[in-house]
Amino acid sequence: VSTQSTGEARRDVVSCQICLITLPYDFYGKKTPYCPGVIYYDDTYLLRDPYNPEPRVVAVAGVCDLCSTIACLDCSVFYTKRFCGRCVLENCESLPPQLVNSVKNKMQQVMDNQTQLT
C-alpha cells in the first residue's frame, strides 16, 4: 500500500498480508465522497462499484485493530472492530464460537491455497 492519509480519494492497490491477494481501491477511510450517507465503523479500503451506475462502494480490505495487519474481507471479520483471521484464532475465547469456526474455515482455505501455489 502506498502511503496516504485517511480521506484521500484516488485509485491504488492494497495487498492482503495474509493471503497476498492484491486488490484495487479508490478510497481509504470511514466516509467516501461517492456515498456521503454511508459511514463505516472502521477505516476501510473501498472501491467504487464498477457494475453499478449509482454511486456505490464495495469494501475490499481493512486493518486489524489488534495487530495492524492489512487483511482482505476473506481474511478478516468485523465484530465491533476489524480483526484479521490470525488475531481471531489467537483470541478465540473472547469471541462467539460460530464466528471463530467460520474464521477457522476461511483461514484453512487460505492456507490450502497458499500450499497449492508453492
Side-chain angles (χ1 to χ4, degrees):
V1 173
S2 60
T3 305
Q4 78 179 56
S5 62
T6 300
E8 280 185 45
R10 66 176 202 184
R11 175 61 53 97
D12 212 337
V13 294
V14 60
S15 294
C16 176
Q17 294 173 318
I18 296 175
C19 72
L20 308 179
I21 190 170
T22 300
L23 300 162
Y25 74 97
D26 296 313
F27 185 83
Y28 175 72
K30 294 178 183 165
K31 295 169 68 174
T32 74
Y34 322 116
C35 302
V38 176
I39 301 171
Y40 285 80
Y41 288 109
D42 61 338
D43 288 327
T44 305
Y45 292 91
L46 301 164
L47 177 67
R48 279 190 282 184
D49 186 346
Y51 303 107
N52 197 324
E54 300 291 320
R56 297 198 179 157
V57 293
V58 177
V60 295
V63 179
C64 179
D65 193 64
L66 293 177
C67 71
S68 300
T69 293
I70 296 171
C72 69
L73 295 191
D74 283 340
C75 295
S76 68
V77 64
F78 186 86
Y79 181 75
T80 68
K81 296 181 181 184
R82 172 124 350 246
F83 299 105
C84 71
R86 292 179 189 139
C87 286
V88 168
L89 298 177
E90 289 172 8
N91 298 284
C92 59
E93 68 283 344
S94 304
L95 298 166
Q98 290 174 322
L99 179 70
V100 174
N101 288 335
S102 173
V103 170
K104 279 183 184 177
N105 292 337
K106 283 184 182 182
M107 294 303 292
Q108 186 59 52
Q109 290 173 347
V110 167
M111 298 306 286
D112 290 347
N113 289 340
Q114 287 179 345
T115 301
Q116 290 173 2
L117 295 175
T118 57

